[in-house]
């Protein structure tokens, strides 16, 4: 009997996503236009939508004679599955998992038919609507009415946090699970819940859960988990049979900065780092798995402390792992020495949260960055051939046509290899909301206006960047870059592919 079966991501079909967003927000909303024009870009060909990945598989894969279809979620192992699975195993429970629901759900059905599973934990890392979770629950219930279903993770935390009590009840009911874990982490709550179900004891004493009492979901109590990162490292050996080529790696939680558009640190808790000895131990474990060739560090920024970052890079070089790696980077805080070490240690591509090329907007964002520092850093990355992805936000409070063109010209001048422009999303939980009166903020999400711009205009300006920028290649789903490189495409081939995709997309919308 498996005590807990952990389920990774369920990616909804792109056409279904489009339909659901149209139903929820309406076709004329900026949300619909933002999500379905360039930023979650798909090209329409013969009445079918293609994401860059699907486009690669359909029109490039065969030509280049790659055997396996590319799929971003299938190819990088889910960290939520790895952390939860390791935690439960260390505490003596039995586990199984599927990393990617879409591709592996038959294995779950088989186990359910044989009545081999006691509880199921559903992760919700990337969801912004309930449908993928409901789809998983429906699937499970088709094969078992009795198995206990536990749902937790970012989607549950973010949704419950934003709701009033009566809304929470109907939300939890509409998903239909037995227990919900309401916490930024949740390993301990999951372990205790599985044990209680196994031992048929009550759930009342377990912190951070909502459980089904028949007529309503009862909340127990709220306690911060703050799991010790050094004790809670991943035992990659547990997953070695199905791990694939690329893994995500975490070396810290949260972020010490306070950008005014971002809510991440507020909910992820205090900034904590894993010791480098433990990171090294995880890398040693990964090195012993022959399929693994690369990793992507998902910390908000790996270089928050320059000293720790240098020690990390020197460790990679000394151990000579040979992994290709990528990460998010605060690129204003790098210098030539660091870039040399990054190159030598196998760094291929970095994602830089540039946000804007206007100092005024960076200051409004409380970004703690100087345009001049960005310029120097991007030049060094280019010089050493480390690919960069510059992420840009268009329309932040204070944005005018003038500040927008500062950003536009910044991208043309600094030539990051790739860029991604996103419409600012007005999140009422973010710090900027406290300046609502000063900036005359109205609306929410992607449908907003402020004193100097509205979301329609910002969307139009963002599109302009996509259509006109010459010195940097637009990218919508940046993980495709890591995966194509990991498949052995050269940097030039990746650039060529994305350039072709963009040309196709431009033609289809002109
Ligand atoms: C890498 C990443 C991506 C990559 C993923 C590619 C890949 N395969 O690796 C890409 C770029 C594709 C991506 C896309 C998106 N992402 Co993203 N992404 C991340 C990032 C940086 C890391 C995710 C991760 O691995 N975290 C580490 C793991 C260990 O954390 P975790 O999954 O939260 O799990 C922990 C707990 O939450 C808990 N837990 C999770 N599930 C469960 C379940 C149970 C039962 C229990 C008990 C506990 C539990 O256990 C884990 C250990 O503590 C996070 C930010 C972050 N640092 O987490 C954003 C993040 C997950 N992304 C987010 C968003 C919004 C998106 C997009 C919707 C953005 C967009 N508008 O397009 C898309 C969605 C894509 C899709 N198709 O659905 C949000 C999610 C918010 C939410 N769900 O409410 C996050 C948190 C960023 C943020 N600041 O808001 N993303
Ligand atoms: S945008 Fe990045 S650096 Fe800024 S607060 Fe959010 S997580 Fe931290």
């Amino acid at each position: 009997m498996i005590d807990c079966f952990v389920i990774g991501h369920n990616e909804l079909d792109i056409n279904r996503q489009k339909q659901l967003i149209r139903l929820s927000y309406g076709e004329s909303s900026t949300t619909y236009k933002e999500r379905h024009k360039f930023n979650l870009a798909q090209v329409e060909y013969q009445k079918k939508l293609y994401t860059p990945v699907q486009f690669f598989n359909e029109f490039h894969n065969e030509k280049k004679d790659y055997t396996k279809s590319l799929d971003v979620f299938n190819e990088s192992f889910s960290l939520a599955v790895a952390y939860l699975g390791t935690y439960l195993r260390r505490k003596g429970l039995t586990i199984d998992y599927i990393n990617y629901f879409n591709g592996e759900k038959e294995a779950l059905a088989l186990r359910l038919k044989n009545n081999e599973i006691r509880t199921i934990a559903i992760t919700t890392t990337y969801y912004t609507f309930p449908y993928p979770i409901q789809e998983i629950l429906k699937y499970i219930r088709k094969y078992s009415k009795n198995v206990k279903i536990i749902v937790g993770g970012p989607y549950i935390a973010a949704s419950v946090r934003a709701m009033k009590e009566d809304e929470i009840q109907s939300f939890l009911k509409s998903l239909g699970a037995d227990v919900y874990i309401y916490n930024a982490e949740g390993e301990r709550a999951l372990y205790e819940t599985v044990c209680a179900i196994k031992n048929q004891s009550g759930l009342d004493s377990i912190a951070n859960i909502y459980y089904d009492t028949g007529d309503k979901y009862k909340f127990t109590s709220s306690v911060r988990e703050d799991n010790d990162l050094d004790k809670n490292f991943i035992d990659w050996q547990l997953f070695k049979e199905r791990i694939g080529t690329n893994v995500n790696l975490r070396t810290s939680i949260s972020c010490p900065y306070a950008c005014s558009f971002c809510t991440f640190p507020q909910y992820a808790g205090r900034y904590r780092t894993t010791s480098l000895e433990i990171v090294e131990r995880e890398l040693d474990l990964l090195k012993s798995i022959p399929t693994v060739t690369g990793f992507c560090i998902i910390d908000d920024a790996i270089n928050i402390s320059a000293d720790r970052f240098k020690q990390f890079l020197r460790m990679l070089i000394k151990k000579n792992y040979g992994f290709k790696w990528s990460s998010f980077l605060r690129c204003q805080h790098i210098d030539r020495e660091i870039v040399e070490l990054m190159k030598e240690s196998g760094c291929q591509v970095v994602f830089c949260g540039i946000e804007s090329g206007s100092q005024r907007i960076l200051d409004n964002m409380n970004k703690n960055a100087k345009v001049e520092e960005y310029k120097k850093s991007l030049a060094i990355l280019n010089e050493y051939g480390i690919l960069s992805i510059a992420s840009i936000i268009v329309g932040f409070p204070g944005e005018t046509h003038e500040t927008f063109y500062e950003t536009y010209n910044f991208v043309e001048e600094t030539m990051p290899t790739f860029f991604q422009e996103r419409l600012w999303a007005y999140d009422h939980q973010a710090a900027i909301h406290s300046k609502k009166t000063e900036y005359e903020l109205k609306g929410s999400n992607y449908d907003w206006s402020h004193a100097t711009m509205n979301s329609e205009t910002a969307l139009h300006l963002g599109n302009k960047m996509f259509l006109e920028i010459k010195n940097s290649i637009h990218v919508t789903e940046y993980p495709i870059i890591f995966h194509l490189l990991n498949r052995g495409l050269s940097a030039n081939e990746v650039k060529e592919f994305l350039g072709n995709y963009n040309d196709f997309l431009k033609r289809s919308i002109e």
Side-chain angles (χ1 to χ4, degrees), residues 255-259 261-262 264-265 300 330 355 367:
C255 157
Y257 292 92
C259 304
F261 56 86
C262 173
F264 184 59
D300 175 63
R330 277 190 77 84
E355 329 300 5
K367 185 72 199 174

Side-chain angles (χ1 to χ4, degrees), residues 11 76 122-123 125-127 152-154 181 184-187 248 264 478:
E11 181 76 350
S76 37
I122 299 178
T123 63
T125 310
Y126 306 106
Y127 304 145
I181 314 272
E185 296 176 30
E187 285 94 323
N248 286 340
F264 184 59
Y478 63 83

